[in-house]
Amino acid sequence: MDTDWKEKVIVAAIDFGTACTGCAISYKADYLKKKENMITPYWHSGGSLSNTKTPTVLLLHKDLSFKSFGFVAEEDFADIATDPDSNIADWHYFRYFKMKLYDENKDSKIRLQSTVTDQMGREINAMHVFSTSIKYLKYKIMETIGDTFLIRNESDVYFILTCPAIWSDKAKRFMRLAAEKAGIANDHLRIGLEPECAAIFLHNVTMPDLSAFGNETFDMKEGDAYMIVDMGSNQL
């Protein structure tokens, strides 16, 4: 049986996107004061620039060990590609690899032996690519929690990993296994459907006034309605 997230000091969510990935961290004491209270790890790009999301890009060494993720992976690979002393074939670079899992999901072919292709078209085990990415995201979350709240015990954290609503049970199981391989305990993890997470958030927070002239906020009341539109990735 899953551990109740309400027993945990921290709830941390990973939005593992097709094009970009982000994380959000909710500290229980802050959540009880105001449900919108949360922090997001920042990802640095181009020196001093930072963003709450980073590209879903992974760079691995020749032996498939981790090198970098996100903006850093893009910058590292650009340096490798332009360095005459570097051999690009000694590296494995992955972009938009979540789409391969989606393609196999449509055909119900997802399995532990499924593969994704790197920049040279080489087939690499998808479970290794996904779990390595999630492991780094977990590290990023724990680093942020440690720096912000001085909490370093993973048992105090409950993780949420989002998945598209259209994914099959096999695909969700694949992501759960990848998270478990990344070091997230099965009873400290919940798979959340992306539109359901958005709906729950909107249902529990104070909505902004949608009027162009308004600067007010309003609470959802019985009979009120809202529409959630998932624009998806620009990589089709």
Side-chain angles (χ1 to χ4, degrees):
M1 182 179 293
D2 285 352
T3 301
D4 189 344
W5 65 268
K6 295 179 182 178
E7 300 173 358
K8 300 303 175 185
V9 179
I10 295 280
V11 172
I14 299 173
D15 179 21
F16 197 95
T18 301
C20 293
T21 290
C23 306
I25 299 167
S26 178
Y27 182 51
K28 184 176 182 179
D30 292 337
Y31 174 84
L32 293 175
K33 295 176 184 176
K34 189 177 182 181
K35 292 181 179 180
E36 294 99 312
N37 286 339
M38 67 182 69
I39 62 172
T40 55
Y42 280 88
W43 311 85
H44 297 288
S45 169
S48 61
L49 297 178
S50 61
N51 203 313
T52 55
K53 285 206 167 185
T54 194
T56 307
V57 174
L58 177 68
L59 181 62
L60 301 179
H61 290 276
K62 186 176 182 178
D63 63 358
L64 300 183
S65 60
F66 177 82
K67 169 60 177 175
S68 51
F69 184 89
F71 288 121
V72 178
E74 288 186 330
E75 294 164 4
D76 285 346
F77 190 68
D79 290 340
I80 292 168
T82 55
D83 184 355
D85 295 326
S86 295
N87 185 356
I88 199 172
D90 288 340
W91 300 87
H92 299 280
Y93 183 69
F94 303 90
R95 291 177 62 88
Y96 310 120
F97 50 89
K98 183 179 174 182
M99 289 303 294
K100 178 64 181 294
L101 199 62
Y102 170 69
D103 291 340
E104 292 203 0
N105 170 69
K106 291 189 295 185
D107 298 328
S108 299
K109 295 179 181 178
I110 296 176
R111 54 194 184 279
L112 295 180
Q113 295 77 28
S114 293
T115 60
V116 293
T117 56
D118 67 4
Q119 83 283 0
M120 299 189 71
R122 293 171 295 192
E123 299 285 335
I124 306 298
N125 181 260
M127 177 62 70
H128 178 74
V129 173
F130 277 83
S131 63
T132 301
S133 300
I134 295 171
K135 184 176 181 179
Y136 174 73
L137 295 170
K138 186 191 76 164
Y139 163 80
K140 182 76 172 179
I141 286 172
M142 293 306 303
E143 180 184 53
T144 303
I145 290 173
D147 292 343
T148 307
F149 304 112
L150 302 180
I151 295 173
R152 305 190 185 280
N153 192 341
E154 292 183 13
S155 64
D156 291 326
V157 183
Y158 193 88
F159 290 89
I160 307 293
L161 179 60
T162 65
C163 284
I166 59 174
W167 276 19
S168 67
D169 288 340
K170 286 184 178 179
K172 296 169 194 171
R173 176 63 178 166
F174 182 96
M175 292 300 288
R176 179 175 284 276
L177 290 174
E180 188 173 358
K181 187 174 180 181
I184 299 177
N186 188 55
D187 62 348
H188 284 63
L189 172 70
R190 179 174 297 181
I191 300 296
L193 302 182
E194 292 164 357
E196 288 185 356
C197 290
I200 291 170
F201 177 79
L202 291 176
H203 190 69
N204 284 278
V205 300
T206 302
M207 295 284 290
D209 190 337
L210 301 182
S211 168
F213 303 99
N215 193 24
E216 304 288 334
T217 58
F218 66 89
D219 295 319
M220 294 293 293
K221 300 180 179 61
E222 185 175 352
D224 289 342
Y226 50 82
M227 179 184 294
I228 297 172
V229 180
D230 186 352
M231 302 299 291
S233 168
N234 61 355
Q235 299 294 324
L236 299 177

